[in-house]
Amino acid sequence: GWSRVKMRGRQKGSEEDAKKQAELKERFSQQRAALKKTKTKEKRQMRECLWFGCCILVIVLAYMLWPPKTKKSFGFCGDGLCSFSETERTCREDCKSVCGDGFCSMHERCVGGPQPTSKGRKQQVECKQDCGVCDMREEEQQDVCSLEDAGLTKEYNASMYWGTYRPHLFLGVKTRSANPVVASVMWHKTDALNPLRHEATSSGIKKYGWVRHDGRNFGHEVILDENCGVNLNFTFVKHGHDNQAKGGDWAVRVSASPRATKAKGKGTETTSISLLLHVSSLSSKGRIHSPTIPAKRAAARPLASFTGSNPGTGSFTVAAMEGERREGAAAGEEKAHFFAMKAKSEHAYRADELVEQIYRYSMSKSGGKDSRLTLPDENQDEDKSNSVFLQLTLVPPGYIDIVFLSHALHKLGGEEEVARAAAQLSGPALSQLIAERTAEFDKRFDTVFKLRDATCIPSSSFNLFGKYPGSGACTPAGKLSEGAVELGKVALSQLMGGLSYLHGTWVKADPPFYNTTSQQAPASSFTCSPCRDGFARGFLWDEGFHQLLMTRWEPAGSRDVLLHWLGLMQPDGWIPRENFIGPETRRRIEARWWTQYPEHANPPTLLLALQALHEGGEAPPGFLKCVLPRLKTWLNWFKRTQQAPALHSFKWSGRIKTEGIWHTLSSGLDDYPRANASSAAADRHLDLFCWVALMHKILAQVSSSLGEDSSSLLSTFRTLLSHLEAVHWNNETQSFQDRGYMAYPDQQPQEEFVQHHGYVSLFPLLLQLLNASDPKLLPIIQVMSDRQHLFSKAGLRSLSPKSPEGGEDSMYGTQEDYWRGKVWINLNYLALKALKRYGESREEAAQLYVQLRQAIMENMLGQYTKKGYIFEQYDDKTGEGLKHKPFAGWSSLVLLIMAEMY
């Protein structure tokens, strides 16, 4: 019985277990099905991701291996253009360089000279066609031109022997000679040495500058000296300078009228001034003897006179003649005084410092009994003296005439002969000669520039932006006003009065590291000066703009200047960009600026002047034939030393960062914003690209006119034009731009366009490299016309306040603010020249031309009328003249703007 009970219990337990197992089996089956479904879904998703990724990879590889055959703004491999995104390694088809293609690539070098070992140039091959010769002496190009070849006659050379070639002085005269005769005039109040006026400066001077100067025979300068309480007029006149007279005679009239001085807030008048004449004969054979000073003044007799000699001028006599007494003038009874000595050239060029030392010596000699500021009437070395200071008293209103008499024209045996000869170039005779020369200047000026025939918008109806009314540049009849004509005469006169002649050694940095310097052999320089106060020497990129004006007025002189610049060319084709030649030009300039670096370029604006001479028929074939080889050597030097690593690209060498500011001094646009993480491998400068293209164009024109083969130059020019868009056009902002490495916070620098609207972005237009039908002209002209971008009341800004990407440009008006917004006349002139040409077929260019020309004329005349100066730059917001003054270097181009001579 018990067994049956146990059996029934087991059967019952088995049924329950089976039921539970069935339930568990069902649940497991459901979970397994769900898991299987999930895994299937995941596998499908993974297959889809892998498929999508493979598709993307295939597309990318296909794009890289077989690029689309539609032209992009950045270019593509196989389009025949080596764009900024391509190299010889990534696109050999477009970027392979071969000897004879017109480009001196990184794999090529000039013929001759040592093999370069820097910058990774170990595998270079010589290529004369593209890179030229390393030393032009091997090509027998040492001599530039003879006078006959250049069309410079003996009469011209004689007429230019004497001149106001010391522009850094208020009045400085010298001969064009390695061992010159130099003369200058200083002045101070008779009872005070401070200020001693000698070097040209606007400190304490209300106004100064040449108002008439023809560059050869005549000049008239006005000086309003507030501190000394006198208005001075210097008039320089040459006479009798034929090719037999060793420079002939000249005279300087110093006239004075009183004015109130600034003394302790009260106006006082100066009763007399001490006038100091300094003359030195800077030659080992040069001599100047003690002056003859009469005990009493007598009519028609010199106040003082002395004789001297120099191998260049021969013997000469200098006499100081008192002018006619004017009504109200007191008699100047103080007799003349002198001091003579033997002086080295470096001492003679520091004449004002010598005067101070001589005054102290004179006081000590008197034992302190005489505190007057008078020279001691002494010659320290009668047999060898070559320098003299002559002190005269000038009582305003009145004048003194200083006469230089060449013994080649006069037989001067005694005081009577000296008085008679001096009378022919002083007093009434000089007054008549000055009147004749003034009339000749005005007549010639009207004939050359024809300003009275020029048209413009009447100033009464000109109101820029509704807030800047005209300043009177134009009459109601639409003609230039008398004030505008006078501004033109002043602009020309100050440029011609800034001609400088220098001779001496200069300083060059030594390769290969340029960390040491050496004095170079003496050289000569005949150039215009940008500004007499601070920049009274030649600047390579300024000079081309100067000569655009000088070629119209004095084409022979312009050829002379160009020859002197080419004479400074070194054997490899490099031209130093600043003329720190001789001790006189280095005075008061920090020594760090003297050194010239053989790889630093400057814009080749000299070719603009050559083009003007050539197109104006003022470049004789002989002149062109002898300068063309040197200019080609210069071009090859540019292509060798300013090349970027990428083919068809160029970069300015010598770019440095000082005090947190990137400077590209070589470009001439000093602090204009470029790439902020400069890299020699990435910098590609648009303005240099355009300059190199223009060099090919102009040299091809000159070569063709001489019947020479210009096919290579033209071919390279066309290749550059075809690459201008590929390398520098930004399709997104519709503008031309530099390229380089740009660094941003928390990001690695990367190569891209340098996003700015400014002078650099305008260069394809400025140098007229674009066709009038080119669609890229329209967005450029729109930016130029937009007052939110480049157009201002003073002209085109150097940098737009707005970025091409929108918003503010963070570099505008910052740091030095030199080329970061201010208006510069030289590049505005180029803009007007281009707009005048493009305006013949494009209405928007013609309208902008009229408005821009009028704005520049009105603003510059307004500033000149208000302040008495032509300035280096102008404020883009107020139009106010800024920086150096009188800056009649390239700012004198306002004359050509008014005359519409481009």
Side-chain angles (χ1 to χ4, degrees):
W2 177 247
S3 300
R4 287 195 294 270
V5 171
K6 289 176 62 178
M7 182 62 69
R8 285 197 295 268
R10 289 176 183 157
Q11 290 176 349
K12 185 176 182 179
S14 298
E15 292 174 358
E16 290 177 356
D17 291 342
K19 187 177 181 179
K20 289 181 180 180
Q21 288 177 0
E23 290 176 355
L24 289 173
K25 187 176 181 179
E26 179 66 22
R27 191 181 306 165
F28 177 76
S29 298
Q30 292 177 355
Q31 290 177 349
R32 187 175 180 182
L35 181 61
K36 185 177 181 180
K37 186 177 181 180
T38 301
K39 288 183 177 180
T40 302
K41 184 178 180 180
E42 289 177 350
K43 288 180 180 180
R44 185 173 63 251
Q45 289 177 341
M46 185 175 295
R47 283 196 301 268
E48 290 175 353
C49 290
L50 288 173
W51 174 253
F52 182 77
C54 290
C55 291
I56 294 296
L57 181 61
V58 169
I59 292 173
V60 171
L61 290 174
Y63 186 87
M64 293 176 63
L65 295 174
W66 300 282
K69 297 300 181 181
T70 56
K71 187 173 181 180
K72 301 282 186 179
S73 62
F74 299 133
F76 59 91
C77 189
D79 64 355
L81 303 177
C82 185
S83 69
F84 68 83
S85 60
E86 298 170 334
T87 65
E88 186 173 354
R89 186 174 60 181
T90 61
C91 184
R92 186 176 178 82
E93 181 180 356
D94 292 344
C95 299
K96 179 183 178 181
S97 62
V98 295
C99 186
D101 62 3
F103 296 92
C104 187
S105 72
M106 299 296 290
H107 305 297
E108 299 168 336
R109 61 182 298 270
C110 54
V111 176
Q115 177 72 240
T117 57
S118 61
K119 299 185 179 179
R121 304 180 183 179
K122 297 182 180 180
Q123 302 299 323
Q124 292 180 318
V125 296
E126 291 185 344
C127 180
K128 184 176 180 180
Q129 297 99 308
D130 297 343
C131 303
V133 295
C134 300
D135 191 333
M136 67 180 178
R137 289 174 294 190
E138 298 177 6
E139 298 289 301
E140 298 181 355
Q141 298 177 18
Q142 287 178 280
D143 297 329
V144 184
C145 274
S146 66
L147 292 178
E148 293 76 13
D149 290 334
L152 304 178
T153 63
K154 292 182 179 180
E155 289 75 18
Y156 163 83
N157 213 35
S159 70
M160 300 296 288
Y161 190 62
W162 277 105
T164 54
Y165 301 142
R166 306 175 72 193
H168 64 294
L169 306 180
F170 281 113
L171 183 70
V173 181
K174 73 185 297 186
T175 57
R176 294 208 310 175
S177 168
N179 301 295
V181 179
V182 299
S184 62
V185 173
M186 294 170 269
W187 72 93
H188 61 84
K189 291 190 285 187
T190 53
D191 59 349
L193 184 58
N194 187 17
L196 172 61
R197 299 297 192 192
H198 188 224
E199 292 197 349
T201 175
S202 58
S203 177
I205 300 286
K206 184 174 180 60
K207 173 183 176 181
Y208 81 92
W210 298 101
V211 295
R212 298 290 185 275
H213 204 303
D214 66 2
R216 283 206 202 191
N217 306 317
F218 164 69
H220 179 74
E221 183 177 23
V222 174
I223 302 170
L224 308 183
D225 189 344
E226 293 180 311
N227 285 1
C228 287
V230 65
N231 293 337
L232 291 175
N233 285 265
F234 292 138
T235 308
F236 172 74
V237 179
K238 290 195 296 187
H239 180 67
H241 43 72
D242 57 47
N243 59 347
Q244 301 296 324
K246 294 191 174 183
D249 301 337
W250 54 264
V252 170
R253 170 164 292 177
V254 184
S255 60
S257 59
R259 69 176 288 122
T261 62
K262 287 185 176 180
K264 297 181 181 180
K266 298 181 179 180
T268 60
E269 288 192 357
T270 298
T271 57
S272 63
I273 62 170
S274 278
L275 203 66
L276 292 154
L277 170 66
H278 171 240
V279 180
S280 288
S281 178
L282 301 179
S283 166
S284 59
K285 298 180 180 179
R287 295 290 182 270
I288 291 183
H289 307 291
S290 298
T292 299
I293 300 176
K296 292 185 179 181
R297 294 187 177 187
R301 296 284 182 177
L303 298 172
S305 64
F306 57 86
T307 61
S309 63
N310 182 277
T313 62
S315 298
F316 59 83
T317 295
V318 177
M321 308 291 288
E322 185 175 22
E324 297 174 331
R325 295 278 169 81
R326 301 181 184 179
E327 184 178 351
E333 296 298 333
E334 180 68 36
K335 79 180 189 74
H337 299 276
F338 78 93
F339 182 82
M341 61 185 292
K342 179 174 176 58
K344 297 180 179 180
S345 60
E346 55 265 31
H347 297 147
Y349 290 137
R350 308 173 81 88
D352 49 356
E353 295 179 4
L354 285 177
V355 165
E356 296 178 7
Q357 295 175 12
I358 294 168
Y359 277 151
R360 288 194 292 268
Y361 167 74
S362 180
M363 292 178 187
S364 65
K365 186 178 178 182
S366 68
K369 297 178 181 179
D370 189 353
S371 60
R372 295 179 301 168
L373 296 171
T374 57
L375 299 180
D377 296 324
E378 177 182 323
N379 190 333
Q380 289 196 326
D381 194 336
E382 186 66 48
D383 295 330
K384 297 182 180 180
S385 61
N386 65 346
S387 184
V388 66
F389 293 87
L390 184 64
Q391 183 180 19
L392 307 165
T393 301
L394 176 57
V395 180
Y399 67 86
I400 289 176
D401 293 333
I402 299 166
V403 183
F404 178 96
L405 302 169
S406 171
H407 290 194
L409 293 176
H410 308 277
K411 293 183 179 180
L412 304 176
E415 293 184 13
E416 291 292 335
E417 288 84 354
V418 170
R420 192 180 303 113
Q424 297 174 9
L425 206 53
S426 64
L430 182 57
S431 298
Q432 181 179 353
L433 186 57
I434 291 172
E436 292 174 357
R437 294 288 171 83
T438 303
E440 290 172 3
F441 176 92
D442 291 341
K443 181 179 179 180
R444 183 183 170 198
F445 181 89
D446 290 339
T447 301
V448 173
F449 298 106
K450 298 180 174 61
L451 288 189
R452 300 183 193 282
D453 297 332
T455 60
C456 52
I457 303 172
S459 296
S460 57
S461 61
F462 180 80
N463 195 338
L464 192 63
F465 312 143
K467 57 187 293 190
Y468 300 119
S471 61
C474 296
T475 66
K479 299 291 184 180
L480 290 175
S481 65
E482 287 301 317
V485 174
E486 180 63 21
L487 173 62
K489 292 179 179 179
V490 169
L492 172 67
S493 299
Q494 293 191 359
L495 177 74
M496 302 306 295
L499 280 169
S500 167
Y501 183 83
L502 301 170
H503 182 85
T505 61
W506 54 285
V507 182
K508 174 183 174 183
D510 299 322
F513 303 113
Y514 306 117
N515 56 350
T516 60
T517 62
S518 58
Q519 291 278 345
Q520 301 300 298
S524 296
S525 164
F526 182 55
T527 69
C528 292
S529 304
C531 178
R532 296 169 62 189
D533 184 1
F535 297 137
R537 58 188 183 276
F539 287 77
L540 182 55
W541 110 280
D542 295 59
E543 195 65 66
F545 293 107
H546 300 162
Q547 296 312 306
L548 289 174
L549 177 53
M550 190 170 176
T551 54
R552 270 75 173 193
W553 178 256
E554 185 64 85
S558 189
R559 294 195 297 271
D560 198 357
V561 169
L562 291 179
L563 291 178
H564 275 83
W565 274 106
L566 293 178
L568 294 173
M569 182 179 286
Q570 300 303 292
D572 63 350
W574 168 63
I575 302 178
R577 68 185 189 90
E578 286 190 51
N579 283 351
F580 281 107
I581 296 176
E584 188 170 23
T585 189
R586 300 176 199 163
R587 191 185 180 199
R588 304 195 191 286
I589 303 295
E590 294 181 53
R592 65 190 178 105
W593 296 111
W594 299 354
T595 304
Q596 301 299 296
Y597 292 85
E599 287 196 354
H600 291 188
N602 236 191
T605 58
L606 294 184
L607 272 79
L608 296 176
L610 179 69
Q611 185 180 44
L613 285 169
H614 184 234
E615 294 177 350
E618 295 292 348
F623 170 75
L624 295 176
K625 285 181 180 179
C626 59
V627 301
L628 186 58
R630 287 215 169 198
L631 292 173
K632 289 182 177 179
T633 299
W634 195 24
L635 171 59
N636 288 330
W637 178 86
F638 263 92
K639 294 197 292 185
R640 286 198 310 271
T641 63
Q642 310 301 300
Q643 59 176 312
L647 194 64
H648 312 126
S649 297
F650 303 92
K651 63 179 179 61
W652 295 107
S653 60
R655 216 172 157 236
I656 57 173
K657 192 173 186 179
T658 55
E659 299 177 359
I661 305 173
W662 278 108
H663 284 101
T664 315
L665 301 179
S666 299
S667 72
L669 307 178
D670 300 6
D671 66 335
Y672 185 93
R674 309 276 183 165
N676 64 4
S678 183
S679 167
D683 282 347
R684 307 182 195 192
H685 296 137
L686 169 63
D687 50 336
L688 180 55
F689 183 104
C690 295
W691 282 120
V692 173
L694 184 68
M695 292 180 79
H696 285 86
K697 177 183 177 181
I698 294 176
L699 293 182
Q701 292 172 345
V702 173
S703 298
S704 297
S705 70
L706 294 174
E708 298 184 9
D709 181 19
S710 61
S711 58
S712 177
L713 290 166
L714 286 174
S715 175
T716 306
F717 173 65
R718 296 190 189 102
T719 302
L720 285 170
L721 288 189
S722 66
H723 281 79
L724 179 58
E725 178 183 359
V727 178
H728 288 289
W729 177 253
N730 186 340
N731 203 44
E732 293 182 3
T733 61
Q734 290 289 288
S735 61
F736 287 102
Q737 293 167 350
D738 278 349
R739 286 196 63 82
Y741 273 122
M742 296 296 293
Y744 303 99
D746 302 324
Q747 295 183 21
Q748 288 294 325
Q750 56 185 357
E751 184 186 358
E752 59 183 70
F753 286 112
V754 183
Q755 302 278 14
H756 300 287
H757 280 317
Y759 286 165
V760 166
S761 63
L762 302 182
F763 259 86
L765 178 144
L766 297 180
L767 300 187
Q768 302 179 47
L769 299 179
L770 303 176
N771 292 323
S773 59
D774 196 318
K776 291 184 286 299
L777 269 178
L778 180 59
I780 297 174
I781 293 175
Q782 288 174 339
V783 169
M784 295 169 68
S785 306
D786 190 345
R787 60 175 174 166
Q788 297 298 320
H789 278 293
L790 296 183
F791 198 87
S792 78
K793 70 162 295 185
L796 296 178
R797 296 181 175 96
S798 49
L799 185 66
S800 170
K802 303 294 183 181
S803 170
E805 301 172 298
E808 304 294 324
D809 191 317
S810 61
M811 304 302 291
Y812 170 77
T814 59
Q815 296 175 320
E816 291 178 356
D817 194 14
Y818 201 44
W819 291 85
R820 296 188 178 185
K822 300 300 182 284
V823 175
W824 295 79
I825 302 304
N826 59 330
L827 294 188
N828 273 268
Y829 173 83
L830 291 183
L832 286 168
K833 179 181 179 180
L835 291 170
K836 182 75 170 176
R837 175 205 158 195
Y838 292 130
E840 295 173 359
S841 57
R842 302 187 70 114
E843 181 62 26
E844 64 273 13
Q847 292 178 357
L848 177 57
Y849 170 81
V850 172
Q851 292 185 346
L852 181 59
R853 174 174 175 262
Q854 188 81 15
I856 292 170
M857 292 191 303
E858 296 285 359
N859 188 73
M860 288 192 69
L861 177 60
Q863 289 297 302
Y864 179 76
T865 303
K866 179 181 178 182
K867 298 185 177 181
Y869 289 109
I870 296 173
F871 288 86
E872 179 181 12
Q873 58 177 210
Y874 293 86
D875 189 271
D876 59 308
K877 299 184 185 71
T878 65
E880 182 182 0
L882 300 172
K883 297 291 184 180
H884 289 82
K885 58 185 181 182
F887 196 94
W890 58 40
S891 293
S892 63
L893 289 171
V894 65
L895 170 55
L896 296 185
I897 291 172
M898 292 190 293
E900 296 190 90
M901 298 175 71
Y902 304 108

